Amino acid sequence: MAGTNSMLSSFISHEGKNTPNTSPTYPLTQSTSVYGKTKTSKAPMFLSSCKKKMKSLKVAKATLAMDFLEEEIKVDVSLTLKVTATVTVKIRNEVSMMKIPWLYSPNDMKHEEKGVGFQLVSTQLDPSTLKPKVSEECVKDWSKCATRKANGPDCFSFEVELEIDADFGEPGAILVRNNDNKELYVETISLDGFFHFACNSWIQPSHISKEQRIFFSNKAYLPSQTPKGLKYLRATELENKRGDGSGHRLPSDRIYDYDTYNDLGNPDKGVEYARPTLGGETNPHPRRCRTGRPSTVSDVTCETRVNTMISSTYVPRDEVMEGTRRNDILKGIWKGVLHNIPPLVATFNNENGVPRDFDDITNLYRNTPQVEMSFNKNGLLKFLDIRGSIEDIFKFETPKNLSWNVTSYVQDDELGRQTLAGMNPVSIEKLKEYPPVSKLDPTIYGQQESALKEEHIICNLNGMSIQEALDANKLFMLDYHDIYLPFLERINAQEDRKAYATRTIFFLTTMGTLKPIAIELSLPPNDTNIPSKQVLTPPVDATTNWLWKLGKAHVCSNDNGVHQLVHHWLRVHACMEPFIIATHRHLSSMHPIFKLLSLHMKHALSINAMARESLISAEGIIECGFSPGKYSIEMISAAYRDWWRFDLEGLPADLIRRGMAVPDETKPHVLRLLIEDYPYANDGLLIWSAIEELVNTYVNHYYPDENTVISDTELQSWYSEAINVGHADLREATWWPKLSSPEKLVEILTILIWTASAQHAALNFGQYHYGGYVPNRPPLMQKLIPQQHENDAREALEAMDQTLCAAEAVRFPEAK
C-alpha cells in the first residue's frame, strides 16, 4: 500500500464531470460508486465468485436480464472481498540483455526469491482522499506454486488472491512490482475470467527499476473519457516512457526518444570509416530512436558504434525480439555463415578469385543438376567434423521463382514480368512524355537532355506513332536517372564499382505484358573516351545481343539498389520509426488508436536497430554488396528530400502518382488499372480496401465527429510530434494531411497500417526468391559496358558469348 501511496501522492482531482465512455462495455463488470457505509448497489459479476471474508451477505433481490445474473445487494463497506487473479509469466534462463549468454553459468544467477507484488487500482476515486482506490499489495513467491504452461518450457501460470474493499468499484489497472533479481515477462493477467489486463511486457527487478509497472484493463478510453481513478496513472505511464531526453540508455529502459542517424560511421577507426549524419539540413532523413551513447573521440557529433559481439544497439526493452522470431534470425545468420563456406573455398582454389562461369554460380544451390563439392574434396567436412546432408548444410536454398535455364533471367519477357510481379513492383510508371525529362536542377547538374530519339523505339510500337502510343497508355518506364546521376562520379571512383543512370522504356503488348524496347545509359560528362549517354535497343546480331544483355544487367542492378535503399529501407522502415516512437510517447496503452497500431509496430524498432548495426552502416551489407557503396546513405537522404511524401504512400495515391491507375467511379476500388495484369496492384487493392474498411469502422466508433478528433490531446500530440520532431526535415511541407476529422484520421491510420503490413510484405518477402540468384538482380556491377571502339571489346564480347554457350551446354546436354 505504501508503494502505491507514494506513486499517487501528487494526484489531485481537478476534472469536471467525466465524459461518458463510448467504448464497448462489458455487461458483467458494470458497477456504481458506493460512498458511505452502506448503500444498495449492483455488484460486478466477477465478485460473485470471490471468497468473502464477511460472515454474511444478504441478497435482497435477484433478477435475470440479458442472460446475465445481476445481484442487487447491500454492501457493508467496512468488509473486504477476495478476488483471484490468474497470471501467466515467462522467464529467461540466459542472462538478460547479453548476446553471449554462454559466458555465464546458471550458478551466476542464483538469488533469493522475493516474489512479485500485485495491487489492483479502481476506476473510482476515494472520496476522502481524492486518490484512486487501491488494494493492499499482495506479494507472491510464484516459483513455489506456478504451473508450467504447455506453450513453452519457460512459461508458467499461477494465482494471486487480492483483497479489496466492498465498495472498490470496477478494476481499471493493476500495478506489478518485481522483487526478484531476474526480469519477468508478464503475458496475461485476468480477474476471475472477466477482467483482462493488457500486459505482454518485461518487468525489471526492483534493484534495477523501482517503478511499478502499470497494466490497464483491456478497455479503451479516449483521454476525455478516462475514469477519474486512472487519470494519474495514464499520465504517469506516458511520462515514464518519454524520459527526460538525457543520459545513456540502459538495456532495461523503456524510454522512447528521437535522435539523428549519427551512429553509422566509425571515425575512430579511421577517416575512411567516417560517414555523414543522416537527419538535418545537409542530409535530411527521418529520426531514429535515441540511445544516448557517448560521442566518438574523432568527431563529437557522432555516437560511438556498439560492439555487437557483446551487446546490442539500444531499443526500449519491450521492443526487443524474443522467442521464435529471435531464434529464426539467429538460425538464419548461422545458415548464412555455413552457406558461404563453399564459395570461400572455391575462391581460394580459383586463381582469379571469382566465379568462372554460370556453372560456378548455380552449383551454390540445392537440387542442381550437377553437384561438384570442391570443398568436400579438400576435406573441409572432415576437418569440421560435420555430418549430414552436404546440400542441407552448405548449399543455398533454391530460389522458388528461378528457372534453372540460366538464360531465363535475361529474357525480355522475364524482365517485363518481374517489373510488375517481382521483388520491386513499385518503380514502374507510365511514360507521360517522350523523350523523358529530368527533374534535376540544371544549375547544379547541367542540362540533362535525354538521348532517346524517335528512331530508337518507333519500330517496336506495332505500327503506332509515339504520340498514339502515349495516348493509348502503351508506354511505361523504369526511371533511375535522377536518383543515380548526382552520385555517379563518386560511385564509379570506388574500386570495382561501376554504375549508370538508367532509363528503360517498355511497350505494353496486346497480351498485356511489358516488353523492354530501349535502355538509356547515362554517365557524368567527364571522360571524353566514354560517351556520357548511349541508347541500347533490342539486338540484331551477336554483338548487340550481348550489349543488350549487359544493359539489362545494369538496369536490374539499379532496380535492386532502389528497391533496397528507397522502397524498402526508407519508405517502410525509416519513415515509420518516428510514428512508432511518437505512439509510445503520446498515446497511452489504453488509447484506442494505440491498441489499433501496437501489433503493427511490434519489433520494428529492433529490426531498424539491427539495420544500423550491419545493413546501412559503414562497411555494412549495403556498402559492401551494392554498387553505390559508401554513398548509399546519401542516396537515401536525397530520395527522402526530393521524392518521399506521406500523403502519397497509400496504394491508390501511389498508383495514380506513377500513372499506373486513373480514378474511375465504375470500378470496384474507384480505380482503373492501365495494366490489367498487375499482381501487386490487383492483390494490393483488395488488401488496402480491407484495411481501410476496418479502420473506418473502428475510428467512427470512437470518433463520431470532428470535435472528438480535434479535442483528443493525446492524438493531436502524437501526430504533431511525429511530423515536427520525427520528420523535422520535412515539417514545413504543405502535403501533410491535417488531422482535423475522422476521415483524415482514417486516411493517416490506413497509410500507416498498409505500410507496416502489406507494403512491407510485398517488398521484403520476395527478396530471396528473386534476388537469391545473383545474375537475376545483381546488387553490384564492377564494370561498365565495353565500347566497340576499345581494343579488347571484341575479345570481351566473344568471351561472354563462349561463357554463355558453355553454360547452356552444361544445363541442357541434349542440346549439344
Side-chain angles (χ1 to χ4, degrees), residues 139-171:
V139 179
K140 186 80 170 183
D141 184 358
W142 63 272
S143 63
K144 297 180 180 178
C145 60
T147 302
R148 191 180 297 274
K149 300 286 288 183
N151 58 335
D154 300 326
C155 295
F156 303 87
S157 67
F158 59 94
E159 292 185 345
V160 179
E161 284 193 344
L162 297 163
E163 290 188 359
I164 61 174
D165 294 334
D167 65 341
F168 187 79
E170 180 179 327

Side-chain angles (χ1 to χ4, degrees), residues 338-390:
L338 292 173
H339 292 165
N340 276 285
I341 291 177
L344 288 174
V345 173
T347 298
F348 286 124
N349 290 338
N350 186 354
E351 293 180 358
N352 298 324
V354 296
R356 292 164 293 184
D357 53 32
F358 287 110
D359 207 38
D360 283 349
I361 298 175
T362 55
N363 275 334
L364 299 175
Y365 304 92
R366 302 175 193 169
N367 305 318
T368 52
Q370 287 187 344
V371 178
E372 181 182 353
M373 307 296 283
S374 60
F375 58 90
N376 193 31
K377 290 181 180 180
N378 295 333
L380 180 61
L381 291 182
K382 184 178 180 180
F383 174 76
L384 294 174
D385 192 26
I386 293 178
R387 299 174 179 83
S389 168
I390 292 176

Side-chain angles (χ1 to χ4, degrees), residues 272-285:
E272 65 272 23
Y273 299 99
R275 296 294 180 269
T277 294
L278 294 187
E281 185 177 350
T282 304
N283 295 291
H285 195 273

Side-chain angles (χ1 to χ4, degrees), residues 510-799:
T510 55
M511 298 293 293
T513 60
L514 289 181
K515 174 187 175 182
I517 59 175
I519 297 172
E520 181 185 33
L521 306 173
S522 299
L523 292 169
N526 298 328
D527 191 339
T528 56
N529 296 319
I530 301 177
S532 62
K533 296 181 184 296
Q534 59 180 311
V535 176
L536 303 176
T537 55
V540 295
D541 54 31
T543 299
T544 55
N545 181 47
W546 263 111
L547 291 174
W548 180 244
K549 289 174 180 178
L550 289 174
K552 288 188 291 185
H554 274 279
V555 169
C556 291
S557 180
N558 284 2
D559 185 73
N560 196 350
V562 171
H563 161 265
Q564 192 65 266
L565 300 177
V566 178
H567 299 312
H568 189 191
W569 165 253
L570 175 64
R571 297 176 67 185
V572 173
H573 286 272
C575 288
M576 279 292 292
E577 183 154 348
F579 287 97
I580 297 172
I581 297 172
T583 298
H584 286 280
R585 287 170 55 86
H586 290 284
L587 296 182
S588 165
S589 60
M590 69 169 65
H591 197 290
I593 302 305
F594 180 93
K595 294 179 181 293
L596 178 65
L597 293 177
S598 58
L599 290 180
H600 298 289
M601 303 183 302
K602 192 70 173 177
H603 296 148
L605 296 186
S606 185
I607 293 290
N608 288 4
M610 293 172 64
R612 301 204 310 275
E613 289 177 357
S614 58
L615 185 69
I616 64 172
S617 58
E619 293 206 308
I621 294 173
I622 293 293
E623 284 199 3
C624 293
F626 285 74
S627 293
K630 65 187 294 184
Y631 304 106
S632 298
I633 59 175
E634 295 181 55
M635 290 179 63
I636 294 171
S637 174
Y640 178 67
R641 178 192 63 220
D642 300 332
W643 183 81
W644 184 81
R645 286 181 52 166
F646 179 81
D647 62 324
L648 300 182
E649 285 299 286
L651 179 58
D654 178 58
L655 292 172
I656 293 173
R657 166 174 60 177
R658 292 188 283 121
M660 300 302 293
V662 294
D664 189 336
E665 296 289 339
T666 66
K667 297 297 181 180
H669 306 289
V670 200
L671 284 179
R672 177 172 61 85
L673 296 177
L674 300 189
I675 300 178
E676 293 184 4
D677 187 12
Y678 186 8
Y680 165 77
N682 296 135
D683 298 341
L685 285 171
L686 294 173
I687 299 172
W688 170 272
S689 296
I691 295 173
E692 186 177 45
E693 182 180 357
L694 168 68
V695 173
N696 185 67
T697 302
Y698 190 88
V699 165
N700 285 326
H701 175 79
Y702 292 99
Y703 298 94
D705 52 45
E706 293 182 357
N707 184 59
T708 52
V709 172
I710 297 172
S711 62
D712 187 335
T713 54
E714 287 185 8
L715 187 71
Q716 294 294 332
S717 297
W718 162 73
Y719 189 58
S720 175
E721 186 176 271
I723 295 173
N724 293 296
V725 182
H727 286 277
D729 302 324
L730 298 179
R731 63 182 179 271
E732 301 297 334
T734 58
W735 40 255
W736 287 103
K738 306 299 182 185
L739 185 50
S740 57
S741 67
E743 293 75 22
K744 285 298 181 181
L745 179 57
V746 169
E747 176 189 348
I748 293 165
L749 294 176
T750 304
I751 290 174
L752 293 175
I753 294 174
W754 159 261
T755 302
S757 57
Q759 180 78 314
H760 179 262
L763 295 171
N764 181 71
F765 295 115
Q767 289 184 94
Y768 185 78
H769 301 312
Y770 288 101
Y773 183 64
V774 175
N776 186 54
R777 278 295 183 276
L780 187 152
M781 300 295 286
Q782 293 186 325
K783 292 184 181 295
L784 297 176
I785 295 176
Q787 299 299 307
Q788 296 191 44
H789 67 270
E790 295 176 356
N791 293 331
D792 59 345
R794 183 177 298 277
E795 290 80 359
L797 293 172
E798 288 177 354

Side-chain angles (χ1 to χ4, degrees), residues 85-91 116 118 142 146-152 154-160 176 184-190 196-203 215:
T86 302
V87 185
T88 304
V89 299
K90 182 170 65 176
I91 61 172
V116 181
F118 299 87
W142 63 272
T147 302
R148 191 180 297 274
K149 300 286 288 183
N151 58 335
D154 300 326
C155 295
F156 303 87
S157 67
F158 59 94
E159 292 185 345
V160 179
V176 183
L184 186 70
Y185 186 82
V186 180
E187 286 191 335
T188 61
I189 300 177
S190 63
H196 301 276
F197 297 88
C199 302
N200 293 311
S201 181
W202 289 97
I203 304 179
F215 296 122

